Amino acid sequence: MPPDDFNPPVGVAQPLAPALRRILAPNPSPMTYRGTNTYLLGTRDIAVIDPGPESEAHLAAILNACDAAQSITHILVTHSHVDHSPLASALSRGTGAPIFAFGPSDAGRSAAMQACLVTGMKGGGEGIDLAFAPDVHLSDGSALQAGDQNVIAWHTPGHMGNHMCFQWGDAVFCGDLVMGWASSLVSPPDGDLTDFMRSCSKLRALNAAVLHSGHGAPISDPTARIDWLIAHRQSREAQILEALSTGPAAAHSLAAEIYTETPVALLGAATRNVFAHLIDLEGKNQVARCDAPTESALFHRL
């Protein structure tokens, strides 16, 4: 369960560390928790990390957080879901700051997810910012001066193909890869579980002292949280394989059987998570499909 004490005021720039502030966007929901965290990194030249959703109020909050001696010089986007990236365009127009990201919304998509698209599979309604177009495409391991701070960009696909984490000293801005209040959604064809597990291990190897995620409070024990997340996914995998031991099944029926405590309104997201597991298990030759790679396809255990 999410911690009850994380409920910062909306639109207020709160200091988290020297040269780092957070502004909470006004978009709370079951998928975004209290809302999207926008980070302001720097002292004089400011880098904005994840500007957030389209919101005049949030745009004003970001601009008003900078005093007369400060200017926004960089806009960094972890990934292009509609709760993270759309405001980047307006912020760029208003400040002249370029937008940095791995690429547009279809960048970094795995071959397995491309195969899902070929069958006509659509997204799960998580909200893709299809218009997202960064000015600067970052590659894995790119070092850049973001505002007046040094940052390393790491490509961490899984939650979405164009997902990046930004390392600042011993802190990492990890977007939606790891969150302290919930496990991350992996929803084909934009999210790939094989990539997600690999990216979690990659993030763990950075040995960060703190993770600043896209939603929720800072994660003060990154290793423990990442280990929990990996174990959680492995547990779901075991549940799916156990359920398939009785015969072939599709993602929706497996989700209903496994996610027994999940509200009905979130079963669609649970089905997407199960489908992501099934595609991952197929890649590991532990299950096989009876049909094309869609949510309605029957899978059987090998």
Side-chain angles (χ1 to χ4, degrees):
M1 294 296 291
D4 292 333
D5 58 350
F6 181 75
N7 195 16
V10 172
V12 177
Q14 293 191 308
L16 299 180
L20 176 62
R21 294 172 290 165
R22 177 192 63 220
I23 304 177
L24 182 67
N27 62 329
S29 77
M31 300 302 293
T32 62
Y33 190 31
R34 304 297 189 193
T36 299
N37 292 327
T38 294
Y39 296 99
L40 276 59
L41 179 63
T43 55
R44 185 178 179 88
D45 294 336
I46 306 298
V48 175
I49 301 174
D50 281 351
E54 285 282 7
S55 166
E56 289 294 331
H58 194 52
L59 176 62
I62 295 171
L63 295 174
N64 291 338
C66 298
D67 62 31
Q70 295 175 321
S71 59
I72 294 171
T73 59
H74 293 70
I75 301 168
L76 278 57
V77 176
T78 61
H79 65 294
S80 52
H81 275 143
V82 294
D83 54 326
H84 288 259
S85 62
L87 198 60
S89 294
L91 186 61
S92 180
R93 289 193 301 270
T95 63
I99 302 168
F100 294 75
F102 182 77
S105 291
D106 61 353
R109 191 177 276 144
S110 70
M113 295 304 105
Q114 293 284 8
C116 291
L117 284 168
V118 168
T119 68
M121 184 179 184
K122 305 297 183 184
E126 294 80 28
I128 307 299
D129 183 4
L130 296 175
F132 182 66
D135 300 300
V136 180
H137 291 205
L138 298 170
S139 58
D140 184 49
S142 293
L144 66 150
Q145 187 83 6
D148 52 25
Q149 305 294 307
N150 294 316
V151 168
I152 302 173
W154 300 106
H155 185 215
T156 50
H159 176 70
M160 193 168 174
N162 69 350
H163 195 287
M164 299 201 92
C165 291
F166 299 108
Q167 183 179 8
W168 172 57
D170 62 0
V172 177
F173 301 93
C174 61
D176 285 359
L177 179 63
V178 176
M179 298 179 289
W181 66 281
S183 59
S184 300
L185 175 67
V186 180
S187 176
D190 302 295
D192 181 281
L193 187 66
T194 306
D195 283 349
F196 178 82
M197 296 294 276
R198 187 180 300 118
S199 291
C200 284
S201 295
K202 182 175 184 175
L203 178 59
R204 190 185 190 282
L206 295 180
N207 293 316
V210 62
L211 300 179
H212 296 292
S213 68
H215 311 276
I219 299 167
S220 59
D221 191 346
T223 298
R225 184 59 184 173
I226 295 169
D227 286 349
W228 176 89
L229 186 58
I230 291 172
H232 173 72
R233 286 293 182 177
Q234 291 171 337
S235 173
R236 289 295 190 208
E237 176 182 287
Q239 288 177 297
I240 290 168
L241 289 172
E242 177 63 25
L244 287 175
S245 65
T246 62
H252 62 87
S253 60
L254 290 168
E257 180 178 348
I258 293 168
Y259 287 78
T260 55
E261 298 181 2
T262 298
V264 174
L266 295 179
L267 274 178
T271 298
R272 291 279 168 162
N273 268 327
V274 169
F275 184 70
H277 272 285
L278 290 167
I279 295 297
D280 176 63
L281 286 166
E282 182 183 36
K284 295 187 288 190
N285 296 314
Q286 292 182 263
V287 305
R289 272 183 292 111
C290 305
D291 306 290
T294 67
E295 281 184 63
S296 59
L298 291 175
F299 288 77
H300 63 88
R301 188 169 178 176
L302 295 176

